[in-house]
Amino acid sequence: MTNQTKIEWTDFTVNFWEGCQKVGPGCDHCYAEARDVRFTGGSHWGPGAPRRKVKGGVAKLLKINRDAPTFHEAHGHWPRVFCSSLSDVFDNAVDRLWREEALLTVQIMVDTRIQLLTKRVGNVEKMVEGLWLGGWPQHVGLMITVVNQAEADRDIPKLLDLKARLGIPWVGLSMEPLLGPVDLTAIPDPSGLAHSHMDALRGKFWMPPEHVDWPTSSRAMDGRLNVNLCPWVDWVIVGGESGPNARPMHPDWVRSLRDQCAAAGTPFLFKQWGEWKPVSDMTEDEYRPLYRSNRKARDYERQEIIDDLYGETCTVPTLSLQLDGEHKDTLDIGAWGKGAMMAFKVGKKRAGRLLDGIEHNGFPGALT
Ligand code: SF4
């Protein structure tokens, strides 16, 4: 049996090549690039850099597919396979023949559940055109990375349009590293219709009541006018950043996405906090030792304890996180904005993946 990965939302990773080019803020601290520097000389990233073919990629996927019945018996689901974790399948700079070999192999691995993840959703249609003659394979789902509201507004309409037109069975969002608050229920209507928004989790366009002069009976209970149906997002994964230069993630950004998904019935998976852990998700036993000088435990709210400890020296880096994504390397609480939260750089392992004490492991029906 092929070795499984520790990535929480998949069982196996398969790479057909390595190398890529940074295309957005989510790429700033690309772990695959750091790995390339460490193991293969670091010459496969950036414009014009040659990508490196992975010899065993196709063979690994064939083996996973061959062993799939045994895997299914042991785990109760077909093996989920993340292609490609060290590159982007829809990278313009990769050899066309490499991609075609990869996508044709993917097409026939029908006993696996393929998870294609890209930051280049605009390339997908032209790169599969004429390749999958029977249409989009029904064991293959498409995920895009979304790290902030600007990317959500730009790319989710494209993803949902592809889902409808190409018959993609399920689509998902990998919101890692999450770098700001995101409202998935109010994406500006890509058709440009004034005041119209897309609710990407429920598959609806809607208008706020103040902009529509229609009878109340036409409105949803919340007063919005639901205009028509569109495809919807089937899965949301959220995670913080890891690595030495990781950026922190505000817990309220994650909570908001958790709550949006719960309200819409969308499966939600919280992958990890990453390098930084907010104090709001620590127990007193966890955060007290982070300070050199402990004070006598008192019956305080956690934030009040932090206020109480104002000015003391921490044993690990700490910073405050603003709701708008800015942060300050300061313990001067007076400089913090509304909704600010303190976070500690405790490392990915120690930070864990509990959100308000709960592990979230939602998967869409197609992957269960
Ligand atoms: S798209 Fe992915 S693999 Fe490529 S640079 Fe960005 S994070 Fe790295």
Side-chain angles (χ1 to χ4, degrees), residues 284-285 287-300 304-313:
E284 194 168 318
D285 285 348
Y287 66 74
R288 277 215 168 267
L290 296 173
Y291 289 91
R292 282 210 184 98
S293 55
N294 284 346
R295 290 193 172 190
K296 215 173 125 193
R298 282 194 278 174
D299 187 23
Y300 278 160
E304 285 174 331
I305 291 173
I306 293 305
D307 291 354
D308 195 43
L309 290 166
Y310 163 62
E312 294 194 12
T313 312

Side-chain angles (χ1 to χ4, degrees), residues 20-23 26-27 30 32-33 45 85-88 119-120:
C20 199
Q21 180 180 340
K22 296 184 179 187
V23 289
C27 299
C30 173
E33 183 188 25
W45 249 260
S85 59
L86 302 173
S87 55
D88 189 323
K119 286 187 175 67
R120 295 165 170 87

Side-chain angles (χ1 to χ4, degrees), residues 109-135:
M109 299 297 111
V110 295
D111 284 339
T112 64
R113 297 295 173 263
I114 301 287
Q115 299 157 302
L116 294 181
L117 173 60
T118 185
K119 286 187 175 67
R120 295 165 170 87
V121 66
N123 288 349
V124 173
E125 187 168 16
K126 62 178 181 241
M127 289 183 178
V128 300
E129 206 167 22
L131 201 62
W132 288 337
L133 295 178

Side-chain angles (χ1 to χ4, degrees), residues 7 9 31 81-91 114-121 124 140-146 170 172-176 237:
I7 298 174
W9 52 269
Y31 70 92
V81 187
F82 170 19
C83 313
S84 306
S85 59
L86 302 173
S87 55
D88 189 323
V89 179
F90 300 104
D91 174 7
I114 301 287
Q115 299 157 302
L116 294 181
L117 173 60
T118 185
K119 286 187 175 67
R120 295 165 170 87
V121 66
V124 173
V140 180
L142 180 64
M143 302 167 67
I144 60 169
T145 304
V146 167
W170 63 269
L173 306 179
S174 170
M175 306 185 78
E176 184 194 4
I237 298 170

